[in-house]
Amino acid sequence: MWQGRKAVVLLMFLVLNIGVKAQQSETLIVFAASSLANAFEAIAVRFEAENPDVDIIFNFASSSDLAAQLTEGADADVFASANIRQAARAREAGRLGSALTIFAKNRLIIIVPDDNPAAIMSIDGLAYAGVSLVVAAPDVPARIYTDLVLTQLAADPAYGEAYRMAVIANIVSEEQNVRQVAAKIALGEADAGIVYVSDVTPDIADQVMTIAIPDSVNTLANYPIAITNDAAHSERARAFVAFVASGCGQQILQMWNFIPVRRDPVCEDNASS
């Protein structure tokens, strides 16, 4: 009988202890641009290891979709956007409770299937007749940067407006986020796509070829991050933002082909790898 009572008492203790730990655990909701998926998931592993009572839940989507969700009142603690415009949209709606911090930069790149069926070897190839081009949808930051590149090419006498119009005519699909663009090219569903350098992740690297966009017409994408105005766990949110901007967070971003904003970012024990 006594052994049975001991078992019941032990079981009750374990249940109560688990309940207390569950109550002490904090869930941090992070809205982040789809291009940040791999890097932020790696950052979360490191951050959660250092903060075992925190669980991070991500909502990855295009920055325009995330800004719309925030404007409509979606719950979130942190917003990391792929451009300032969408972050400003969330701020104008009263959803951001801290100043914007630029934590990374990125560049656009052209990708083609590994067998390169359209024989595209440079940016000139995007205007070839019959080329099928996939880009991000209007208002998605990657598309805004793409349009800026095309505008700069149109102003270059070597290309001109005719080049820009030929490229636009070759667009066969506009995707809701840049990772969908990358996926379509990796699957060989089009001849070329325009994505960020960071979108050529290990899982598709052997399925695509990359073609650089000249720096003279390319543009740097700025990634801002901020805490929301009604973050349920504001202290943890601040800690996460600080970690992203830290040497360790910056090193992880650099590992995933982002351009860090800190010079020579270093993770002290190199555990981020």
Side-chain angles (χ1 to χ4, degrees):
M1 179 67 72
W2 171 239
Q3 292 297 325
R5 289 180 180 174
K6 282 179 65 178
V8 171
V9 170
L10 178 59
L11 179 61
M12 291 178 63
F13 173 79
L14 290 174
V15 169
L16 289 171
N17 193 42
I18 291 171
V20 168
K21 287 185 176 180
Q23 290 176 1
Q24 292 175 342
S25 179
E26 295 181 354
T27 299
L28 203 63
I29 302 174
V30 177
F31 279 29
S34 59
S35 54
L36 290 165
N38 298 89
F40 265 31
E41 284 169 352
I43 283 175
V45 169
R46 177 59 185 259
F47 185 81
E48 289 176 346
E50 295 183 3
N51 300 271
D53 57 341
V54 176
D55 293 318
I56 297 177
I57 294 177
F58 287 112
N59 178 14
F60 292 116
S62 70
S63 298
S64 54
D65 283 348
L66 295 174
Q69 291 173 29
L70 289 172
T71 299
E72 293 168 1
D75 292 333
D77 297 293
V78 175
F79 179 35
S81 173
N83 74 351
I84 294 175
R85 178 186 299 185
Q86 299 303 334
R89 179 181 170 194
R91 181 171 56 192
E92 289 166 4
R95 287 307 314 276
L96 299 186
S98 71
L100 299 177
T101 299
I102 303 298
F103 66 92
K105 297 177 184 291
N106 216 337
R107 279 193 178 90
L108 292 179
I109 196 169
I110 299 165
I111 58 172
V112 300
D114 59 349
D115 58 350
N116 196 8
I120 297 171
M121 303 306 295
S122 71
I123 198 170
D124 297 30
L126 297 184
Y128 292 168
V131 165
S132 56
L133 175 65
V134 179
V135 296
D139 292 331
V140 174
R143 176 59 178 275
I144 294 170
Y145 294 126
T146 296
D147 289 344
L148 179 57
V149 167
L150 292 177
T151 297
Q152 292 175 163
L153 284 164
D156 185 338
Y159 293 92
E161 180 64 14
Y163 169 87
R164 188 182 77 88
M165 295 304 296
V167 173
I168 292 174
N170 282 339
I171 296 174
V172 296
S173 181
E174 298 174 317
E175 302 301 316
Q176 198 54 42
N177 66 66
V178 72
R179 286 298 172 94
Q180 292 175 355
V181 176
K184 282 207 164 186
I185 303 307
L187 292 171
E189 296 180 5
D191 295 323
I194 299 177
V195 299
Y196 298 117
V197 173
S198 62
D199 291 313
V200 185
T201 54
D203 58 323
I204 68 165
D206 61 349
Q207 300 173 56
V208 301
M209 290 174 49
T210 61
I211 299 168
I213 296 174
D215 287 343
S216 59
V217 294
N218 209 340
T219 184
L220 279 179
N222 290 300
Y223 283 65
I225 191 169
I227 301 166
T228 60
N229 67 315
D230 56 354
H233 306 291
S234 57
E235 290 300 319
R236 296 295 191 179
R238 274 190 282 274
F240 179 81
V241 170
F243 184 82
V244 169
S246 72
C248 195
Q250 293 285 291
Q251 186 187 65
I252 295 172
L253 285 159
Q254 187 176 52
M255 288 168 57
W256 288 97
N257 295 321
F258 287 87
I259 302 169
V261 296
R262 288 184 58 159
R263 181 177 296 178
D264 300 324
V266 174
C267 198
E268 290 183 0
D269 59 5
N270 293 317
S272 62
S273 59

